[in-house]
């Protein structure tokens, strides 16, 4: 995991300040209505590195996206007194939105200079940016295409049992950009639901997680886990691609 402007993102800096950032995440999200001015709608922009040749595996890219979104939320700069705190809280306490874009070559390099955190998983790279109003997106990000490129579904095999698993509802046939936003929501929800000590351990592993597709039979078992309180689910607002209220991703904690 890296921040292009400052180098490697370290493990939790200390228990007290990490606990404060986790407590804010665990409070949930504002869910207030959108502002009258559409330019003031808050969103977290994300960028997926998808080179034209030798593109990454879809599952690894989604895992990188999920980790990068959570890393921004729990970064010291998003915490009390941090330089990112006002922008982060303005977003978190309103209606949560994420927008995933794609980049390659010089565009990817330029995006790395915008405030945010980059994560690499098995050669796949994604960067989540500090949230802000959609009317004030940095031009290096604004110019990046939101749709138009997708990746084939891959078969990565069984997930590491020591990692959380984010199960994507395969029946919804989401694009890679839509799925990236949804797994970003899922990593945040899961971290907020877990005890702070568990999330600290997760942070030491750079929020590494596994992303897998769930077929209808698996999804039925997973929804039972959600009902039993052993997993958390993302229910989409339905702005793009899927119907409002659709359950898009179910996050299952790591086995301990």
């Amino acid at each position: 995991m890296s921040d292009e402007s400052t180098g490697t993102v370290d493990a939790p800096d200390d228990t007290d300040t990490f606990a404060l950032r986790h407590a804010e995440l665990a409070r949930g999200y504002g869910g207030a209505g959108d502002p009258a001015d559409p330019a003031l709608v808050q969103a977290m922009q994300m960028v997926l590195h998808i080179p034209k040749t030798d593109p990454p595996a879809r599952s690894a890219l989604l895992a990188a996206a999920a980790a990068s979104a959570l890393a921004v939320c729990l970064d010291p700069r998003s915490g009390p007194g941090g330089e990112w705190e006002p922008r982060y809280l303005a977003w978190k306490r309103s209606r949560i939105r994420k927008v995933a874009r794609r980049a390659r070559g010089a565009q990817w390099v330029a995006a790395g200079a915008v405030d945010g955190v980059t994560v690499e998983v098995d050669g796949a790279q994604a960067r989540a940016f500090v949230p802000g109003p959609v009317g004030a997106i940095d031009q290096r990000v604004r110019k990046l295409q939101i749709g138009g490129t997708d990746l084939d579904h891959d078969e990565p095999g069984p997930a590491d049992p020591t990692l959380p698993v984010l199960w994507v509802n395969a029946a919804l046939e989401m694009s890679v950009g839509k799925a990236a936003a949804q797994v970003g929501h899922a990593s945040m929800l899961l971290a907020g639901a877990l005890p702070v000590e568990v999330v600290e351990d997760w942070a030491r592993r750079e929020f590494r997680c596994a992303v897998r597709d769930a077929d209808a039979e698996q999804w039925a078992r997973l929804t039972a886990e959600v009902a039993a309180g052993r997993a958390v689910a993302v229910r989409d607002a339905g702005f793009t691609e899927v119907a409002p209220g659709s359950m898009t991703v179910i996050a299952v904690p790591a086995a301990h």
Side-chain angles (χ1 to χ4, degrees), residues 31-32 34 95-98 172 174 178 181-182 185 233-248:
D34 287 333
R95 179 177 285 171
I96 292 290
R97 281 188 174 88
K98 294 186 181 75
L172 296 178
M174 291 181 286
K178 178 68 173 182
Q182 298 302 300
H185 295 334
V234 178
R235 291 175 174 82
D236 191 63
F239 294 119
T240 60
E241 293 195 28
V242 301
S246 297
M247 196 180 297
T248 56

Side-chain angles (χ1 to χ4, degrees), residues 80-181:
E83 61 187 284
W84 296 351
E85 182 188 25
R87 287 182 284 169
Y88 168 63
L89 291 182
W91 168 73
K92 183 184 171 294
R93 293 175 179 177
S94 63
R95 179 177 285 171
I96 292 290
R97 281 188 174 88
K98 294 186 181 75
V99 178
R101 302 167 183 266
R102 63 179 177 87
R104 60 172 64 106
Q107 290 181 329
W108 170 253
V109 174
V114 181
D115 287 345
V117 178
T118 297
V119 172
E120 180 171 342
V121 174
D122 298 337
Q125 295 177 300
R127 184 171 180 84
F129 301 100
V130 181
V134 297
I137 301 170
D138 189 290
Q139 287 301 316
R140 291 166 290 187
V141 176
R142 185 185 296 277
K143 67 172 62 174
L144 301 177
Q145 190 169 331
I146 293 176
T149 298
D150 214 335
L151 297 171
D152 293 334
H153 291 264
D154 57 310
E155 297 291 342
D160 181 339
T162 68
L163 296 178
V165 182
L166 312 182
W167 291 93
V168 177
N169 187 349
L172 296 178
E173 299 182 340
M174 291 181 286
S175 69
V176 69
K178 178 68 173 182

